[in-house]
Amino acid sequence: MNLLIVLFLLIVVPHHALAQSLQPLPLTDQPRWNAVGRVNTGGFSSRGTCTGSLIAPDLVLTAAHCVAGQDGLPVNAARMTFVAGWLGGDYAASSKVARFEVHPEAYRMPRLDIEHDMAVLTLETSLDIPSLPITARETAPYAIVGYQNTHPNRLRARFDCAGKRQHRLLRLNCPVVNGNSGSPALVREGDGWAIIGVVVAQSGGDALVVPVDEWLRGRLVRGAPYPRE
């Protein structure tokens, strides 16, 4: 099965055909993950959303296919909203999206290149929430934190994923389903976690992740928390 078909499965296959979902995040842990939120393409609380994460006060990392409609054309940024820390109607903060930029290699060919399926949203309003740092250090255990369309009102997560490279992608043995597109994949960094990449698809019950690269590091505003290794 080629990678383009794998991506298509993540977007449109019924939920029962996909892998078992992640586990609900304990409510006591929710505040420390308020940087992770829902990327709503049709308004404040629209269904059929993706996940995104703050990497700077006004920048959200997500998947490139999350800012494209079913016809593959870009959605209207003015209709998009990022809702940080969404929990059953409560949330930590929100902002409309001013604009977005997809990875320059994402659509170099007529169809999406899954190995560069990454986008950065610029928010209209900076959010007063600690953002998540990014890192290039690929060291297990990995974690995935995000929302799912089957359980859209509460973060779900795993913090014990193993992983290995598959071509340019990182393959993690933690399951993802619809809605997890754009979720951060993370590694331990001191007392916290740092983003190593973006969940874009599933294959054989595993999550496929586009790793952090120089383009993403270059998109961060000056002073963003990226550890220079």
Side-chain angles (χ1 to χ4, degrees), residues 187-212:
V187 296
R188 269 288 185 188
E189 193 106 304
D191 294 332
W193 293 83
I195 297 174
I196 183 58
V198 180
V199 173
V200 296
Q202 68 89 19
S203 177
D206 294 340
L208 299 182
V209 173
V210 176
V212 164

Side-chain angles (χ1 to χ4, degrees), residues 11-94:
I11 298 172
V12 303
V13 167
H15 304 298
H16 61 74
L18 296 176
Q20 182 182 357
S21 64
L22 307 178
Q23 299 301 308
L25 189 72
L27 295 178
T28 53
D29 291 345
Q30 174 73 33
R32 68 180 298 194
W33 292 103
N34 279 341
V36 181
R38 298 193 345 177
V39 176
N40 298 330
T41 57
F44 180 79
S45 59
S46 63
R47 297 293 297 271
T49 64
C50 283
T51 300
S53 48
L54 283 172
I55 55 173
D58 64 343
L59 295 180
V60 172
L61 177 64
T62 191
H65 72 259
C66 291
V67 298
Q70 292 185 351
D71 56 4
L73 298 176
V75 299
N76 184 352
R79 298 186 61 207
M80 298 180 65
T81 302
F82 176 69
V83 186
W86 178 268
L87 179 61
D90 293 327
Y91 59 95
S94 70

Side-chain angles (χ1 to χ4, degrees), residues 65-118:
H65 72 259
C66 291
V67 298
Q70 292 185 351
D71 56 4
L73 298 176
V75 299
N76 184 352
R79 298 186 61 207
M80 298 180 65
T81 302
F82 176 69
V83 186
W86 178 268
L87 179 61
D90 293 327
Y91 59 95
S94 70
S95 172
K96 291 186 176 181
V97 175
R99 59 188 179 278
F100 57 78
E101 181 179 353
V102 300
H103 195 290
E105 298 294 319
Y107 290 99
R108 184 171 52 86
M109 298 181 291
R111 291 187 290 182
L112 175 65
D113 180 357
I114 190 176
E115 294 187 344
H116 297 93
D117 188 359
M118 181 183 293

Side-chain angles (χ1 to χ4, degrees), residues 145-165:
V145 180
Y147 294 90
Q148 298 177 338
N149 288 349
T150 51
H151 303 87
N153 291 314
R154 183 172 172 181
L155 279 171
R156 301 175 78 88
R158 283 275 298 275
F159 297 92
D160 58 350
C161 311
K164 62 181 180 180
R165 280 281 183 158

